[in-house]
Amino acid sequence: MTGGQKYISQNAEGALLISIPKNVQVEQPIRVTIERQPGEPLEEDRHICIEMGESASACIILDDKIKEADEPTKTKQEILVTAGENSKLQLYEVEETHFEHERKSQITVNQKAYSNVTLLSLTLLSGHTENTTTVHLNGEGAETNLLGGVIADGHQHVENHTLIDHAVPNCQSNELYKYVLDQDAVGVFEGRILVQKGAQKSVSQETNANLVSTKTARMFTQPALEIYADDVKCNHGATVGQLDEKALFYMQQRGIPYDEARMLLKFAFVGEVLDQIPLEAFRERLRHLVEKRICGELPSCGACKLCK
Amino acid sequence: MLEIRNLHASVNGKEILKGINLTIKDGEVHALMGQNGAGKSTLSNVLVGNPAYEITEGTVLLNGKDLLAMKPEERAHEGVFMSFQHPVEIPGVSMVNFMRAAVNAKRKYHGEEPLSASDFLKLMREKRKIVELDNKLANRSVNEGFSGGEKKRNEIFQMAMLEPTFAILDETDSGLDVDALRIVAEGFNKLRTPQTSAMVITHYQRLLDYLKPDIVHVLLNGKIVKTAGPELAQEIETRGFDWIKEEIGL
Ligand SMILES: Nc1ncnc2c1ncn2[C@@H]1O[C@H](COP(=O)(O)OP(=O)(O)OP(=O)(O)O)[C@@H](O)[C@H]1O
Ligand SMILES: [Mg+2]
């Protein structure tokens, strides 16, 4: 049991509560692995509540690893995060489920003054996923980093809907979501940045970049800025592109087989998101997982073309 | 040995190469010169299998094997290397991972075990020295943000890593300052073995002063119109191409 595990509890309704008291710095990452045991219901309603006390800091990893069952599985998840004044939270969510899994997840984050939250949502493997992330910057000086990575193939469908709400002045938000779509996968990104009236000196950067590597995969993206203050620095942008043919050929000329060159490019593309993860050991683990996923080596992957 | 016979190629439906005949024996360095747009890079790209170019006629044999039937990566494994006129930047792919993938793919093709991480890094270090490539560059993404000259130096570094038997240098001298040119050219000479042959494309004599080509060809309008010894490059340096055009009645 790592140091932080003692801050986890479960209430009578089965909700998971992670509460870090004021001024406590949890050194080791708190890791929660979600699995379904055989015989357990196919549908799950999950509630997680994370409370960061004033000046507390922690890193929480949620590994969603629901395995394939005889029938499709389903998860409804609600995560509620309160980041107290000056607290620091890194919350990493990794979905590595299966093609017959449906997931609807809703994360709501309320940030107090000078809190700093990094959220990562990484969809490595899934069937139909809809993630909704809402961050309210309610206290001055609060900072949020929203990171997202999606690797999808087969008939996967992955949606991310995000809203960052700059409710008060002097807050900062960075958002980067990257999708790599192959085969018939469908990706959706909807990212709204709201700067409320009076939220002066808000700084916000939102980027959604997508790599669509087949003619049949599709990406829908809609970044949106809604600004009701006049002294702000906000940027947003979205791109949808294909694998760089010139780079592929350059690699082949050096002897790297075409398929491997494609994988290297895909990995490089998502790598930019992983680069921003401050926790080094975890970043390396994710790199490894992403690499395996892109190479078609994930144990739970049986349908992508490299596995056949 | 490389044997090109009656090679025709087009790009976007336009014929660029109009019957190239050229034989390069082991150990020989051939210089290929010619005006802008003559088709020098097209020939290079066709030899390395760039899918943007369509071959309409002709054959190319490398050591008796049908080169045109091979995939680009197989050609590389068979010893063909091209130093690109315009090397591509590949953000997010580190030089180390890129080179490791390339070196190990070649080893696999030849039935050899992949290099261990430490052996590989040792090889990188050794080969970097040959072209004096800065360690900082070797730790960055492939060509990303490299200056024009740094990219060219990096091409020859890659050549050092892959030890080709037939190398194409497409204007490797362009973009290199005087000192860098000397280092890169001397590096190339160090890499040569009695089996290595090369096709060197350049507009200037300076590179050839170092590489000492055995034969110089002039490519004009998709055909090799003149072949002679190294003195031909000297003559082109002073006289240009017009006299050759007149000679052949163009
Ligand atoms: N991808 C392409 N699409 C259209 N035209 C092309 C393409 N590649 C080459 N060409 C044309 O083919 C001709 C030959 O080009 P190539 O690059 O082989 O010339 P070169 O001899 O290498 O010239 P330089 O000395 O300027 O490098 C040129 O007219 C060029 O515009
Ligand atoms: Mg050229």
Side-chain angles (χ1 to χ4, degrees), chain B residues 150-162:
Chain B
E150 287 168 347
K151 282 180 186 164
K152 295 304 175 79
R153 196 186 288 240
N154 191 23
E155 293 292 284
I156 303 304
F157 163 69
Q158 294 173 43
M159 172 177 165
M161 291 292 292
L162 295 166

Side-chain angles (χ1 to χ4, degrees), chain B residues 11-12 14 16 34-43 52-53 85 170-171 203 219:
Chain B
V11 57
N12 296 332
K14 182 178 155 214
I16 311 285
Q35 290 173 316
N36 298 132
K40 304 179 296 295
S41 294
T42 302
L43 175 59
Y53 299 82
Q85 183 171 359
D170 192 353
E171 296 199 26
H203 291 293
L219 182 71

Side-chain angles (χ1 to χ4, degrees), chain A residues 126-137:
Chain A
S126 68
H128 186 110
T129 291
E130 287 176 39
N131 296 323
T132 304
T133 306
T134 310
V135 179
H136 298 287
L137 298 168

Side-chain angles (χ1 to χ4, degrees), chain A residues 133-184:
Chain A
T133 306
T134 310
V135 179
H136 298 287
L137 298 168
N138 291 330
E140 284 202 37
E143 185 180 330
T144 201
N145 294 296
L146 224 56
L147 301 171
V150 174
I151 297 151
D153 55 19
H155 291 282
Q156 275 186 262
H157 179 114
V158 181
E159 300 188 9
N160 278 288
H161 304 267
T162 70
L163 166 66
I164 299 175
D165 170 20
H166 284 257
V168 296
N170 295 311
C171 290
Q172 196 171 327
S173 62
N174 296 300
E175 181 170 12
L176 175 66
Y177 270 76
K178 287 192 138 188
Y179 285 62
V180 175
L181 302 180
D182 209 324
Q183 296 175 323
D184 301 315

Side-chain angles (χ1 to χ4, degrees), chain A residues 244-261 264-265 267-269 271 275 291, chain B residues 48-51 72-73 76-77 80-82 84 88 90-93 98 101-102 105 142-143 155 158 162:
Chain A
D244 179 352
E245 288 295 330
K246 286 207 172 96
L248 283 174
F249 179 67
Y250 187 79
M251 293 198 257
Q252 280 181 283
Q253 202 309 298
R254 299 307 188 236
I256 302 173
Y258 183 73
D259 286 338
E260 197 178 332
L264 280 171
L265 285 188
F267 182 62
F269 187 79
D275 283 345
E291 214 163 21
Chain B
V48 293
N50 188 332
E73 54 265 40
H77 300 151
V80 179
F81 177 90
M82 173 159 91
F84 284 71
V88 184
I90 316 180
V93 177
F98 169 66
V142 180
N143 291 325
E155 293 292 284
Q158 294 173 43
L162 295 166

